Amino acid sequence: MLELNQSGTDVPGDQNGDKNGDEAGNGTPETAAGPPHPAPLRPCLIVAALLCTLYFLYGYLRYSHFQSPSWDLGIFEQEVRAYAGLNAPVVDIKGPGYLILGDHFSPLVALLVPLYWIWPSAVALLFAQAALFAVSAVIVGRTVQQLLGGRSGLCVTVAYGLSWGLQEAVKADFHEIALAVPLIALVCRALLLEHSRAVVLWSLPLVLVKEDLGVTVAVVGALLALRGRRVQGFLLAAYGVFAFALTVLVLIPAASSAGTYDYWKKIDKDGEREVSLLDSVLGALGSSVKVEMLIFLVGITAFMALRSPLLLLVVPTLGWRLLSQDANHWGMVWHYSAILMPVVFLAMADGIRRSRASKRPWLVSYANVAVPVATAIAVALTQHLPLRELLRPETYSADARTAAAEEALDAIPVGARVETDITLMAHLTGDRTVYWVGGAPGTAPDVVAINLDFGWSMPIDDPVAYAEQLHPEARYRLKHRSGSFVVMERTTPVPGKG
């Protein structure tokens, strides 16, 4: 396995095990890795520790102020909580008794169980993501140090850590892709340093993070084959294709109550309208939002990533996103671009290395300033990205809405079965059974707790009547109201148990 040490090189065992065979398969001065630049690791570690602090602080402040943007943090806490209890990963937010492996195939999330045993809270997941992103920054920065020199490595650590893909992922709370980001960084590092065994070993677990990453692994195998390691490359590519097919055609449908992989609908349906595959392909670049995302994806590398074949690793993820009819997949927001960040920044390093060997003087000159240009772009863009909020004093102060939400939480008994919306959800999943409002018919939950200002399609004038409309099998009364938050408790026995 590939390890980082203080000398600026990889551990001798891995280097000696692969280097001779790989050099025989390359041999051109433009693509050969060459001797690594010795550089101290400490500066990258310091920057990464600072990045981890910023990521976690931002995530925690949003959580503590009840600003979660979606139900995902609650979903993942229910999943990890189930694994921590040595139970099947049932996520009641998606539906009572819903097996989450029938939605996305992400069993590697179970690696977070030891942390959750120590810190049983959704906040632990926010910390885990911050730490994983910071680890990936060390991997990216260290690799650039070895390829281009120490100062370049430190600058790229900063530029990568502030990249819009990571910042938007932090804003979107926790997602399983946090586990993939450092793994992909290690895969790219091994490719650039020509350690084929490490490429294979770091690629294998990617298929357990999310089902679509099997296609990414297949592209890694193809790149490995093109670099001269044909047997390893073809086997890895076959493994990736097989893993993708197995998960989306067999494992996910077997775990799903619908018996199918629901996300095919993102490509062939636009609302209720059927969309042919040809129309999806023709419309892949049919939105300015998509084009903007692609420009910024390579623009943050001062466009030097375009000089590296490593950039091919972004194709699988971009492919399904551009084909999707869901506009949430197209742009620069949410968490979807986080796994692309290590690829484009390490592709930038490879592109710079190649360009410095070019016979075109202008390209050599540009390559020599590309790292500071990319760093300046990252710092400038941060003025319009989530972490900028940490510079504002009001970010740290709780308002009346926060106090009202905390009072509502106190009114909900530990161990209760609660139906709620996004606002309170992730604060309840640690010690209550939580359902999505409107997503648990027939369950007669103990409590229905809602934020009247959540953004309902129609205003809720009578919360108790709304609760009884959701659950006509039960009766409710208003237990607590603070600000826009209302808590209703069931007054009748659970149907079938009374």
Side-chain angles (χ1 to χ4, degrees):
M1 302 279 276
L2 195 62
E3 297 180 12
L4 306 180
N5 60 29
Q6 293 291 334
S7 68
T9 62
D10 297 316
V11 290
D14 188 65
Q15 189 174 11
N16 294 336
D18 274 329
K19 187 173 180 181
N20 291 337
D22 287 340
E23 284 183 348
N26 287 288
T28 61
E30 188 176 1
T31 59
H37 292 266
L41 180 60
R42 184 175 298 175
C44 286
L45 291 174
I46 293 172
V47 171
L50 179 59
L51 289 169
C52 181
T53 302
L54 294 176
Y55 297 152
F56 177 65
L57 178 60
Y58 179 86
Y60 175 75
L61 287 171
R62 282 178 62 83
Y63 171 85
S64 62
H65 294 166
F66 298 86
Q67 295 174 342
S68 290
S70 75
W71 62 357
D72 290 332
L73 182 58
I75 285 174
F76 283 106
E77 185 181 6
Q78 283 191 337
E79 181 178 1
V80 175
R81 181 186 176 191
Y83 284 130
L86 305 181
N87 297 313
V90 169
V91 173
D92 291 308
I93 290 172
K94 293 282 289 185
Y98 188 94
L99 188 62
I100 197 63
L101 295 179
D103 184 52
H104 286 303
F105 191 75
S106 307
L108 211 65
V109 169
L111 291 178
L112 299 177
V113 164
L115 175 62
Y116 195 79
W117 281 336
I118 299 169
W119 191 358
S121 166
V123 179
L125 304 187
L126 298 177
F127 175 77
Q129 178 167 269
L132 288 164
F133 284 174
V135 167
S136 73
V138 174
I139 297 166
V140 170
R142 185 58 165 169
T143 305
V144 175
Q145 275 186 339
Q146 293 177 235
L147 295 178
L148 304 179
R151 291 183 180 178
S152 294
L154 185 60
C155 288
V156 171
T157 305
V158 173
Y160 169 82
L162 295 178
S163 62
W164 58 265
L166 294 186
Q167 289 201 46
E168 292 294 344
V170 170
K171 183 179 180 180
D173 287 340
F174 176 86
H175 289 86
E176 73 282 281
I177 53 87
L179 295 161
V181 172
L183 284 174
I184 289 177
L186 286 165
V187 169
C188 293
R189 170 184 170 82
L191 281 169
L192 293 182
L193 296 183
E194 299 179 1
H195 297 295
S196 58
R197 183 172 57 189
V199 172
V200 174
L201 291 175
W202 290 123
S203 296
L204 294 179
L206 277 172
V207 302
L208 302 178
V209 178
K210 195 162 175 277
E211 63 278 358
D212 63 288
L213 290 176
V215 185
T216 300
V217 171
V219 176
V220 173
L223 288 176
L224 199 56
L226 289 174
R227 287 174 175 265
R229 310 297 289 190
R230 290 181 176 83
V231 174
Q232 289 171 305
F234 290 148
L235 288 175
L236 185 61
Y239 166 79
V241 172
F242 174 77
F244 173 73
L246 180 66
T247 52
V248 302
L249 299 178
V250 179
L251 298 180
I252 292 177
S256 170
S257 58
T260 185
Y261 180 54
D262 285 342
Y263 289 90
W264 294 128
K265 298 175 183 176
K266 296 290 185 179
I267 295 176
D268 59 26
K269 279 194 174 182
D270 185 2
E272 296 300 319
R273 183 175 66 91
E274 297 285 342
V275 180
S276 69
L277 181 59
L278 178 61
D279 286 338
S280 294
V281 172
L282 293 176
L285 295 178
S287 167
S288 60
V289 175
K290 297 178 181 180
V291 175
E292 177 187 62
M293 183 267 292
L294 293 175
I295 291 174
F296 275 90
L297 182 64
V298 291
I300 56 175
T301 70
F303 297 97
M304 291 304 297
L306 294 170
R307 290 274 297 163
S308 172
L310 198 66
L311 193 62
L312 290 172
L313 292 182
V314 306
V315 172
T317 297
L318 288 180
W320 70 258
R321 289 177 60 188
L322 296 178
L323 291 176
S324 173
Q325 305 302 315
D326 187 343
N328 289 314
H329 295 153
W330 301 348
M332 297 170 63
V333 295
W334 298 106
H335 58 288
Y336 302 108
S337 295
I339 61 173
L340 306 180
M341 296 299 106
V343 176
V344 297
F345 276 94
L346 288 177
M348 175 186 74
D350 186 37
I352 291 172
R353 179 179 60 170
R354 291 167 177 269
S355 298
R356 286 177 177 176
S358 173
K359 295 180 180 180
R360 289 167 284 186
W362 68 267
L363 185 57
V364 176
S365 298
Y366 182 64
N368 289 331
V369 299
V371 167
V373 168
T375 307
I377 290 172
V379 173
L381 284 179
T382 297
Q383 302 302 311
H384 307 282
L385 291 171
L387 290 183
R388 74 188 185 281
E389 295 179 20
L390 294 178
L391 300 175
R392 299 172 178 173
E394 59 269 23
T395 300
Y396 301 87
S397 58
D399 55 13
R401 175 182 175 277
T402 300
E406 290 173 345
E407 291 176 12
L409 287 178
D410 292 339
I412 302 172
V414 171
R417 295 182 303 118
V418 187
E419 187 168 354
T420 189
D421 58 68
I422 289 169
T423 317
L424 300 176
M425 184 172 287
H427 295 260
L428 295 167
T429 47
D431 51 15
R432 286 96 161 175
T433 299
V434 179
Y435 306 113
W436 167 244
V437 63
T443 58
D446 306 314
V447 172
V448 176
I450 57 176
N451 174 13
L452 297 175
D453 291 341
F454 172 62
W456 307 98
S457 57
M458 295 183 63
I460 299 175
D461 299 319
D462 187 341
V464 173
Y466 179 69
E468 293 179 350
Q469 177 185 340
L470 292 173
H471 299 283
E473 71 277 10
R475 292 292 176 266
Y476 290 85
R477 72 174 182 88
L478 183 64
K479 179 182 180 181
H480 173 84
R481 181 163 190 165
S482 54
S484 63
F485 295 89
V486 290
V487 177
M488 284 80 66
E489 65 177 0
R490 194 186 67 248
T491 60
T492 54
V494 179
K497 296 184 180 181

